[in-house]
Amino acid sequence: MNRLSKLQAVLIEEELDAILVTSPYNLRYVSNFTGTAGLALVTQEKAFFITDFRYTKQAADQAKGFEVLRHVGPIFKEVARLVDELKITTLGFEDAYVSFRSYDELEALVASDLVPASGIIEELREVKDAEEIATIKAACAISDAAFTYILDHIKPGVKEIDIANKLDFFMREKGATGVSFETIVASGYRSAMPHGVASEKVIEQGDFVTLDFGCYYKGYVSDMTRTVSVGEPDPKLKEIYAIVLEAQLRVNAAVKAGMTGIEVDSVARDYITEKGYGENFGHSNGHGIGLEIHEGPNTSQKAPKTLVPNNVITNEPGIYIEGLGGVRIEDDLLITENGNEILTFSPKELIIL
């Protein structure tokens, strides 16, 4: 069953006549369309892709299984025409993506009941198919190559921002279309900032440097974190590195289909807490990746959902001590029936440069 058929099966199950797809990520997922203007109207039996003259040829090439329609006036007027023609009485819309103004416009034009339907396509996206998995693996390979490359450039006197730029440009040279989020390079005291994006700070001898980065490759992301030391680090930093590494390895060894997000998170969190640093691990242990850098399923203390085969998640425990520094180590994992497949292969043992 292809993605469009899966969506149509859910519409039948949810007793929705149709759904209006406006999120660019969900639009790409169901139609394979990579342009920047358009939306889809999917009914239980048919699928329409509406765009303007700039993208009709591209949509015809990419959106297989969709009837491509060109709108000249406001796009919602074309939606309203279809809704009327197809006698749609319940129309799902992506309430997490539709602005209040757009909702007002849609409500004024469409005679059917508008039903909030965010999460329907996102849930389908959580289980990756073979093509998606292969693409994510390729994105991860680019990240691994970038980490190997950047190690030769991290040294005292170099700015964090310069390291980030080198990482970003290298990944593009290897085929990435962009970075999956703003690259984090946090050195010294700044490594205690979990999202310390690269700054003008100069790397110094004895600094821990946390590198959290990833790329977009053919629409899918990678997400990897490694922490290295520039020269001999403070003994306390060595201690927390060993704790984070053990916590991360325990998750890699334990996670499999059938575990809840809470259970996965607890593997790392319980160990870090046992070692006395529970209060210094303030974020969740991981999240899903795919078309977006943060998507389901999550692994946190608030994530009771059960993992299933072909979910792809991150495993990224960390410890952060203000004024001293921090450590985070992250892999991307493909969930399997009996375990998981690690998709990021860069070494995790402490590297002292």
Side-chain angles (χ1 to χ4, degrees):
M1 186 180 290
N2 63 28
R3 298 173 190 175
L4 181 56
S5 297
K6 287 178 181 178
L7 175 57
Q8 289 172 323
V10 175
L11 293 179
I12 293 170
E13 183 181 325
E14 296 291 328
E15 298 182 343
L16 281 174
D17 292 338
I19 186 171
L20 189 65
V21 186
T22 51
S23 155
Y25 298 107
N26 289 342
L27 201 60
R28 179 164 186 162
Y29 179 78
V30 297
S31 71
N32 201 41
F33 179 70
T34 60
T36 58
L39 53 76
L41 180 72
V42 179
T43 75
Q44 295 180 3
E45 297 177 345
K46 298 180 179 180
F48 303 89
F49 194 97
I50 307 170
T51 189
D52 62 39
F53 77 99
R54 295 171 298 169
Y55 291 107
T56 50
K57 176 63 167 66
Q58 181 178 342
D61 291 341
Q62 293 180 329
K64 303 302 182 185
F66 287 75
E67 180 181 339
V68 177
L69 302 174
R70 174 182 166 184
H71 73 94
V72 178
I75 195 167
F76 284 162
K77 281 193 175 180
E78 183 65 19
V79 172
R81 183 190 69 78
L82 276 175
V83 167
D84 183 60
E85 180 183 302
L86 299 168
K87 296 180 171 53
I88 292 169
T89 59
T90 55
L91 176 63
F93 73 100
E94 297 179 310
D95 49 300
Y97 297 95
V98 175
S99 69
F100 186 77
R101 177 178 293 179
S102 294
Y103 175 82
D104 265 358
E105 292 174 1
L106 189 61
E107 188 180 39
L109 291 167
V110 175
S112 64
D113 292 333
L114 296 179
V115 181
S118 285
I120 287 179
I121 298 175
E122 287 85 349
E123 186 151 346
L124 292 175
R125 283 169 44 192
E126 290 183 9
V127 181
K128 273 58 179 179
D129 60 32
E131 182 180 354
E132 290 176 296
I133 291 167
T135 306
I136 292 171
K137 286 182 176 180
C140 289
I142 293 173
S143 293
D144 277 326
F147 179 69
T148 299
Y149 162 80
I150 207 64
L151 289 177
D152 289 336
H153 299 274
I154 301 172
K155 58 190 67 177
V158 177
K159 293 179 180 179
E160 293 173 350
I161 190 65
D162 293 333
I163 297 299
N165 286 337
K166 287 181 185 295
L167 272 172
D168 296 353
F169 293 145
F170 179 88
M171 289 189 289
R172 282 184 176 274
E173 287 174 357
K174 292 300 179 182
T177 55
V179 296
S180 45
F181 54 93
E182 189 171 358
T183 296
I184 293 170
V185 180
S187 64
Y189 69 91
R190 293 191 74 254
S191 62
M193 301 167 62
H195 280 184
V197 296
S199 73
E200 293 288 325
K201 181 188 174 302
V202 172
I203 295 171
E204 301 175 37
Q205 189 74 14
D207 278 358
F208 260 16
V209 182
T210 295
L211 308 158
D212 187 347
F213 61 98
C215 70
Y216 265 102
Y217 177 74
K218 294 184 178 180
Y220 287 79
V221 305
S222 60
D223 186 5
M224 186 177 83
T225 306
R226 293 295 186 268
T227 301
V228 301
S229 182
V230 179
E232 192 64 27
D234 184 290
K236 192 73 170 177
L237 290 174
K238 267 191 169 180
E239 176 195 344
I240 65 172
Y241 191 97
I243 294 169
V244 171
L245 177 58
E246 178 62 22
Q248 208 264 355
L249 292 174
R250 288 187 178 204
V251 173
N252 280 358
V255 67
K256 61 182 178 181
M259 293 180 72
T260 66
I262 294 171
E263 290 171 334
V264 174
D265 183 275
S266 294
V267 173
R269 194 169 305 280
D270 290 353
Y271 179 75
I272 289 174
T273 300
E274 174 191 321
K275 293 298 182 179
Y277 291 98
E279 293 184 358
N280 303 96
F281 179 20
H283 55 74
S284 66
N285 193 70
H287 54 86
I289 62 170
L291 286 165
E292 294 183 83
I293 191 60
H294 290 99
E295 59 183 53
N298 293 316
T299 57
S300 74
Q301 291 302 289
K302 299 178 180 179
K305 192 171 187 177
T306 299
L307 298 179
V308 299
N310 293 344
N311 289 154
V312 181
I313 63 170
T314 66
N315 170 22
E316 48 181 307
I319 294 175
Y320 313 92
I321 301 175
E322 188 174 348
L324 177 63
V327 176
R328 183 167 64 259
I329 303 169
E330 176 185 23
D331 284 322
D332 297 335
L333 309 177
L334 170 65
I335 304 302
T336 63
E337 193 68 51
N338 299 311
N340 66 85
E341 180 183 347
I342 301 172
L343 306 183
T344 38
F345 301 107
S346 295
K348 291 190 284 280
E349 295 72 19
L350 179 59
I351 295 173
I352 299 178
L353 301 171

Short mmCIF file of all heavy atoms in Angstrom, two decimals, residues 125-172:
data_model
loop_
_atom_site.label_atom_id
_atom_site.label_comp_id
_atom_site.label_asym_id
_atom_site.label_seq_id
_atom_site.Cartn_x
_atom_site.Cartn_y
_atom_site.Cartn_z
N ARG A 125 3.87 9.19 8.95
CA ARG A 125 5.28 9.48 8.68
C ARG A 125 6.23 8.83 9.67
O ARG A 125 7.41 8.64 9.38
CB ARG A 125 5.50 11.00 8.69
CG ARG A 125 5.03 11.71 7.43
CD ARG A 125 5.01 13.21 7.59
NE ARG A 125 6.20 13.73 8.26
CZ ARG A 125 6.32 14.97 8.71
NH1 ARG A 125 5.31 15.82 8.58
NH2 ARG A 125 7.42 15.36 9.30
N GLU A 126 5.74 8.48 10.85
CA GLU A 126 6.61 7.91 11.87
C GLU A 126 7.19 6.56 11.46
O GLU A 126 8.29 6.20 11.89
CB GLU A 126 5.85 7.76 13.19
CG GLU A 126 5.53 9.08 13.85
CD GLU A 126 4.83 8.92 15.19
OE1 GLU A 126 4.75 7.76 15.68
OE2 GLU A 126 4.37 9.93 15.75
N VAL A 127 6.49 5.82 10.64
CA VAL A 127 6.97 4.50 10.20
C VAL A 127 7.55 4.66 8.79
O VAL A 127 6.82 4.91 7.83
CB VAL A 127 5.83 3.46 10.20
CG1 VAL A 127 6.37 2.09 9.76
CG2 VAL A 127 5.21 3.37 11.59
N LYS A 128 8.86 4.52 8.69
CA LYS A 128 9.54 4.79 7.43
C LYS A 128 9.49 3.58 6.49
O LYS A 128 9.55 2.43 6.94
CB LYS A 128 11.02 5.14 7.70
CG LYS A 128 11.29 6.61 7.97
CD LYS A 128 10.54 7.19 9.13
CE LYS A 128 10.87 8.67 9.36
NZ LYS A 128 10.13 9.23 10.48
N ASP A 129 9.41 3.87 5.19
CA ASP A 129 9.49 2.80 4.21
C ASP A 129 10.96 2.61 3.79
O ASP A 129 11.85 3.35 4.25
CB ASP A 129 8.58 3.06 3.01
CG ASP A 129 8.91 4.35 2.26
OD1 ASP A 129 10.09 4.74 2.21
OD2 ASP A 129 7.98 4.96 1.70
N ALA A 130 11.21 1.64 2.93
CA ALA A 130 12.58 1.29 2.57
C ALA A 130 13.31 2.46 1.92
O ALA A 130 14.51 2.69 2.18
CB ALA A 130 12.58 0.08 1.64
N GLU A 131 12.61 3.22 1.08
CA GLU A 131 13.24 4.35 0.40
C GLU A 131 13.62 5.44 1.41
O GLU A 131 14.71 6.03 1.33
CB GLU A 131 12.30 4.92 -0.65
CG GLU A 131 12.89 6.07 -1.45
CD GLU A 131 11.92 6.61 -2.49
OE1 GLU A 131 10.84 6.03 -2.67
OE2 GLU A 131 12.24 7.64 -3.12
N GLU A 132 12.74 5.71 2.35
CA GLU A 132 13.03 6.72 3.36
C GLU A 132 14.22 6.31 4.22
O GLU A 132 15.10 7.13 4.53
CB GLU A 132 11.80 6.94 4.25
CG GLU A 132 10.64 7.62 3.55
CD GLU A 132 9.43 7.73 4.44
OE1 GLU A 132 8.87 6.68 4.84
OE2 GLU A 132 9.04 8.86 4.77
N ILE A 133 14.26 5.04 4.60
CA ILE A 133 15.37 4.56 5.43
C ILE A 133 16.69 4.69 4.69
O ILE A 133 17.70 5.14 5.26
CB ILE A 133 15.11 3.10 5.86
CG1 ILE A 133 13.94 3.05 6.86
CG2 ILE A 133 16.37 2.49 6.49
CD1 ILE A 133 13.41 1.65 7.10
N ALA A 134 16.70 4.32 3.42
CA ALA A 134 17.94 4.44 2.64
C ALA A 134 18.39 5.89 2.54
O ALA A 134 19.60 6.18 2.61
CB ALA A 134 17.71 3.85 1.24
N THR A 135 17.45 6.81 2.40
CA THR A 135 17.79 8.23 2.29
C THR A 135 18.34 8.77 3.61
O THR A 135 19.32 9.52 3.63
CB THR A 135 16.56 9.04 1.84
OG1 THR A 135 16.04 8.48 0.64
CG2 THR A 135 16.94 10.50 1.59
N ILE A 136 17.72 8.38 4.72
CA ILE A 136 18.21 8.81 6.04
C ILE A 136 19.61 8.25 6.28
O ILE A 136 20.49 8.95 6.81
CB ILE A 136 17.24 8.38 7.14
CG1 ILE A 136 15.92 9.16 7.04
CG2 ILE A 136 17.85 8.60 8.53
CD1 ILE A 136 14.82 8.66 7.94
N LYS A 137 19.84 7.01 5.89
CA LYS A 137 21.18 6.43 6.04
C LYS A 137 22.22 7.23 5.24
O LYS A 137 23.34 7.45 5.72
CB LYS A 137 21.18 4.98 5.59
CG LYS A 137 20.51 4.02 6.56
CD LYS A 137 20.58 2.58 6.04
CE LYS A 137 20.00 1.60 7.06
NZ LYS A 137 20.06 0.19 6.58
N ALA A 138 21.84 7.66 4.05
CA ALA A 138 22.76 8.47 3.23
C ALA A 138 23.04 9.81 3.90
O ALA A 138 24.19 10.30 3.88
CB ALA A 138 22.18 8.67 1.84
N ALA A 139 22.01 10.42 4.50
CA ALA A 139 22.21 11.69 5.22
C ALA A 139 23.14 11.47 6.42
O ALA A 139 24.01 12.31 6.70
CB ALA A 139 20.86 12.24 5.68
N CYS A 140 22.97 10.35 7.11
CA CYS A 140 23.83 10.05 8.26
C CYS A 140 25.28 9.84 7.82
O CYS A 140 26.22 10.23 8.52
CB CYS A 140 23.32 8.82 8.99
SG CYS A 140 21.78 9.07 9.90
N ALA A 141 25.47 9.21 6.66
CA ALA A 141 26.82 8.99 6.15
C ALA A 141 27.53 10.31 5.88
O ALA A 141 28.74 10.46 6.11
CB ALA A 141 26.78 8.14 4.89
N ILE A 142 26.78 11.30 5.40
CA ILE A 142 27.36 12.63 5.17
C ILE A 142 27.79 13.24 6.51
O ILE A 142 28.88 13.82 6.62
CB ILE A 142 26.36 13.55 4.44
CG1 ILE A 142 26.12 13.04 3.02
CG2 ILE A 142 26.85 14.99 4.43
CD1 ILE A 142 25.03 13.78 2.27
N SER A 143 26.96 13.10 7.54
CA SER A 143 27.32 13.62 8.87
C SER A 143 28.57 12.94 9.41
O SER A 143 29.45 13.59 9.99
CB SER A 143 26.16 13.43 9.84
OG SER A 143 25.06 14.22 9.48
N ASP A 144 28.65 11.63 9.26
CA ASP A 144 29.84 10.91 9.72
C ASP A 144 31.09 11.41 9.02
O ASP A 144 32.13 11.62 9.66
CB ASP A 144 29.67 9.40 9.48
CG ASP A 144 28.88 8.71 10.56
OD1 ASP A 144 28.98 9.12 11.74
OD2 ASP A 144 28.16 7.74 10.25
N ALA A 145 31.01 11.59 7.72
CA ALA A 145 32.16 12.10 6.97
C ALA A 145 32.53 13.50 7.43
O ALA A 145 33.72 13.85 7.53
CB ALA A 145 31.85 12.10 5.47
N ALA A 146 31.52 14.31 7.75
CA ALA A 146 31.78 15.68 8.21
C ALA A 146 32.49 15.69 9.55
O ALA A 146 33.38 16.52 9.80
CB ALA A 146 30.47 16.45 8.29
N PHE A 147 32.11 14.77 10.44
CA PHE A 147 32.78 14.71 11.74
C PHE A 147 34.26 14.34 11.58
O PHE A 147 35.13 14.97 12.19
CB PHE A 147 32.08 13.69 12.66
CG PHE A 147 32.73 13.57 14.01
CD1 PHE A 147 32.66 14.61 14.93
CD2 PHE A 147 33.41 12.42 14.36
CE1 PHE A 147 33.26 14.50 16.18
CE2 PHE A 147 34.02 12.29 15.60
CZ PHE A 147 33.94 13.34 16.51
N THR A 148 34.54 13.35 10.76
CA THR A 148 35.94 12.98 10.51
C THR A 148 36.72 14.16 9.96
O THR A 148 37.86 14.44 10.37
CB THR A 148 36.00 11.80 9.51
OG1 THR A 148 35.32 10.68 10.08
CG2 THR A 148 37.44 11.41 9.22
N TYR A 149 36.11 14.88 9.03
CA TYR A 149 36.75 16.04 8.41
C TYR A 149 37.04 17.14 9.42
O TYR A 149 38.14 17.71 9.44
CB TYR A 149 35.85 16.56 7.29
CG TYR A 149 36.15 17.97 6.84
CD1 TYR A 149 37.19 18.25 5.97
CD2 TYR A 149 35.36 19.05 7.31
CE1 TYR A 149 37.45 19.56 5.57
CE2 TYR A 149 35.62 20.35 6.90
CZ TYR A 149 36.67 20.59 6.04
OH TYR A 149 36.94 21.88 5.65
N ILE A 150 36.09 17.43 10.28
CA ILE A 150 36.21 18.62 11.13
C ILE A 150 37.21 18.44 12.26
O ILE A 150 37.73 19.43 12.81
CB ILE A 150 34.82 19.02 11.70
CG1 ILE A 150 34.79 20.53 12.01
CG2 ILE A 150 34.46 18.21 12.94
CD1 ILE A 150 34.96 21.42 10.81
N LEU A 151 37.54 17.21 12.61
CA LEU A 151 38.48 16.99 13.71
C LEU A 151 39.83 17.66 13.45
O LEU A 151 40.49 18.11 14.39
CB LEU A 151 38.68 15.48 13.94
CG LEU A 151 37.49 14.73 14.54
CD1 LEU A 151 37.81 13.24 14.65
CD2 LEU A 151 37.10 15.30 15.90
N ASP A 152 40.24 17.73 12.20
CA ASP A 152 41.53 18.36 11.87
C ASP A 152 41.49 19.88 11.99
O ASP A 152 42.54 20.53 11.94
CB ASP A 152 41.94 18.00 10.44
CG ASP A 152 42.35 16.55 10.30
OD1 ASP A 152 42.77 15.95 11.32
OD2 ASP A 152 42.25 16.00 9.19
N HIS A 153 40.31 20.45 12.18
CA HIS A 153 40.18 21.91 12.21
C HIS A 153 39.87 22.46 13.60
O HIS A 153 39.89 23.68 13.79
CB HIS A 153 39.08 22.34 11.23
CG HIS A 153 39.36 21.95 9.81
ND1 HIS A 153 40.11 22.73 8.95
CD2 HIS A 153 39.02 20.84 9.11
CE1 HIS A 153 40.20 22.13 7.78
NE2 HIS A 153 39.54 20.98 7.85
N ILE A 154 39.60 21.60 14.55
CA ILE A 154 39.28 22.05 15.91
C ILE A 154 40.58 22.19 16.69
O ILE A 154 41.27 21.20 16.95
CB ILE A 154 38.33 21.05 16.62
CG1 ILE A 154 37.04 20.89 15.83
CG2 ILE A 154 38.04 21.52 18.04
CD1 ILE A 154 36.14 19.79 16.35
N LYS A 155 40.89 23.42 17.05
CA LYS A 155 42.16 23.67 17.77
C LYS A 155 42.07 25.02 18.47
O LYS A 155 41.20 25.85 18.16
CB LYS A 155 43.33 23.65 16.79
CG LYS A 155 43.24 24.63 15.65
CD LYS A 155 44.32 24.38 14.59
CE LYS A 155 44.10 23.07 13.87
NZ LYS A 155 45.08 22.83 12.79
N PRO A 156 42.93 25.26 19.44
CA PRO A 156 42.92 26.55 20.13
C PRO A 156 43.09 27.71 19.15
O PRO A 156 43.86 27.62 18.20
CB PRO A 156 44.12 26.44 21.09
CG PRO A 156 44.30 24.98 21.31
CD PRO A 156 43.95 24.34 20.00
N GLY A 157 42.33 28.78 19.40
CA GLY A 157 42.44 29.97 18.57
C GLY A 157 41.42 30.04 17.44
O GLY A 157 41.28 31.08 16.80
N VAL A 158 40.70 28.95 17.20
CA VAL A 158 39.70 28.92 16.14
C VAL A 158 38.33 29.26 16.74
O VAL A 158 37.98 28.80 17.82
CB VAL A 158 39.65 27.53 15.47
CG1 VAL A 158 38.55 27.49 14.41
CG2 VAL A 158 41.00 27.19 14.85
N LYS A 159 37.55 30.07 16.03
CA LYS A 159 36.22 30.44 16.52
C LYS A 159 35.21 29.31 16.27
O LYS A 159 35.30 28.59 15.27
CB LYS A 159 35.73 31.71 15.82
CG LYS A 159 36.51 32.96 16.17
CD LYS A 159 35.95 34.16 15.41
CE LYS A 159 36.71 35.44 15.73
NZ LYS A 159 36.18 36.60 14.96
N GLU A 160 34.24 29.23 17.18
CA GLU A 160 33.17 28.26 17.00
C GLU A 160 32.47 28.43 15.66
O GLU A 160 32.17 27.45 14.97
CB GLU A 160 32.13 28.41 18.13
CG GLU A 160 32.64 28.04 19.51
CD GLU A 160 31.63 28.38 20.60
OE1 GLU A 160 30.61 29.06 20.31
OE2 GLU A 160 31.84 27.95 21.75
N ILE A 161 32.18 29.66 15.29
CA ILE A 161 31.45 29.92 14.06
C ILE A 161 32.21 29.44 12.84
O ILE A 161 31.62 28.98 11.85
CB ILE A 161 31.09 31.43 13.92
CG1 ILE A 161 30.11 31.66 12.77
CG2 ILE A 161 32.33 32.28 13.78
CD1 ILE A 161 28.76 31.04 12.95
N ASP A 162 33.55 29.50 12.90
CA ASP A 162 34.36 29.01 11.78
C ASP A 162 34.25 27.50 11.64
O ASP A 162 34.21 26.96 10.53
CB ASP A 162 35.82 29.43 11.96
CG ASP A 162 36.00 30.93 11.86
OD1 ASP A 162 35.18 31.59 11.18
OD2 ASP A 162 36.96 31.47 12.47
N ILE A 163 34.20 26.81 12.78
CA ILE A 163 34.01 25.35 12.75
C ILE A 163 32.64 25.00 12.18
O ILE A 163 32.51 24.10 11.33
CB ILE A 163 34.16 24.76 14.17
CG1 ILE A 163 35.58 24.98 14.71
CG2 ILE A 163 33.81 23.27 14.18
CD1 ILE A 163 36.67 24.33 13.90
N ALA A 164 31.62 25.73 12.61
CA ALA A 164 30.27 25.48 12.11
C ALA A 164 30.19 25.69 10.60
O ALA A 164 29.59 24.88 9.87
CB ALA A 164 29.27 26.39 12.82
N ASN A 165 30.80 26.76 10.12
CA ASN A 165 30.75 27.03 8.68
C ASN A 165 31.46 25.95 7.88
O ASN A 165 30.99 25.54 6.81
CB ASN A 165 31.37 28.40 8.39
CG ASN A 165 30.48 29.55 8.81
OD1 ASN A 165 29.27 29.39 8.92
ND2 ASN A 165 31.06 30.70 9.07
N LYS A 166 32.59 25.50 8.39
CA LYS A 166 33.32 24.42 7.70
C LYS A 166 32.48 23.15 7.64
O LYS A 166 32.43 22.46 6.61
CB LYS A 166 34.66 24.16 8.38
CG LYS A 166 35.71 25.23 8.14
CD LYS A 166 37.02 24.89 8.82
CE LYS A 166 38.04 26.02 8.68
NZ LYS A 166 38.44 26.23 7.28
N LEU A 167 31.82 22.83 8.76
CA LEU A 167 30.93 21.66 8.78
C LEU A 167 29.83 21.80 7.73
O LEU A 167 29.58 20.88 6.95
CB LEU A 167 30.30 21.50 10.16
CG LEU A 167 31.04 20.69 11.21
CD1 LEU A 167 30.33 20.82 12.56
CD2 LEU A 167 31.10 19.22 10.81
N ASP A 168 29.17 22.95 7.74
CA ASP A 168 28.04 23.16 6.85
C ASP A 168 28.46 23.08 5.38
O ASP A 168 27.80 22.42 4.57
CB ASP A 168 27.40 24.53 7.12
CG ASP A 168 26.81 24.64 8.52
OD1 ASP A 168 26.76 23.61 9.23
OD2 ASP A 168 26.39 25.75 8.90
N PHE A 169 29.57 23.74 5.04
CA PHE A 169 30.01 23.74 3.65
C PHE A 169 30.46 22.35 3.21
O PHE A 169 30.19 21.92 2.09
CB PHE A 169 31.15 24.75 3.45
CG PHE A 169 30.74 26.18 3.64
CD1 PHE A 169 31.61 27.10 4.19
CD2 PHE A 169 29.48 26.61 3.26
CE1 PHE A 169 31.24 28.43 4.37
CE2 PHE A 169 29.09 27.93 3.44
CZ PHE A 169 29.96 28.84 3.99
N PHE A 170 31.11 21.62 4.12
CA PHE A 170 31.57 20.27 3.78
C PHE A 170 30.37 19.36 3.47
O PHE A 170 30.39 18.60 2.50
CB PHE A 170 32.38 19.67 4.94
CG PHE A 170 32.87 18.28 4.67
CD1 PHE A 170 34.07 18.06 4.02
CD2 PHE A 170 32.13 17.17 5.05
CE1 PHE A 170 34.52 16.77 3.76
CE2 PHE A 170 32.56 15.87 4.80
CZ PHE A 170 33.76 15.68 4.15
N MET A 171 29.33 19.45 4.29
CA MET A 171 28.17 18.59 4.06
C MET A 171 27.51 18.91 2.72
O MET A 171 27.06 18.00 2.01
CB MET A 171 27.17 18.71 5.22
CG MET A 171 27.67 18.06 6.51
SD MET A 171 26.45 17.95 7.84
CE MET A 171 26.29 19.67 8.33
N ARG A 172 27.48 20.18 2.36
CA ARG A 172 26.93 20.55 1.05
C ARG A 172 27.81 19.97 -0.07
O ARG A 172 27.30 19.50 -1.09
CB ARG A 172 26.84 22.07 0.92
CG ARG A 172 25.65 22.68 1.66
CD ARG A 172 25.57 24.16 1.42
NE ARG A 172 24.40 24.77 2.04
CZ ARG A 172 23.20 24.85 1.48
NH1 ARG A 172 23.00 24.33 0.28
NH2 ARG A 172 22.19 25.42 2.11
#
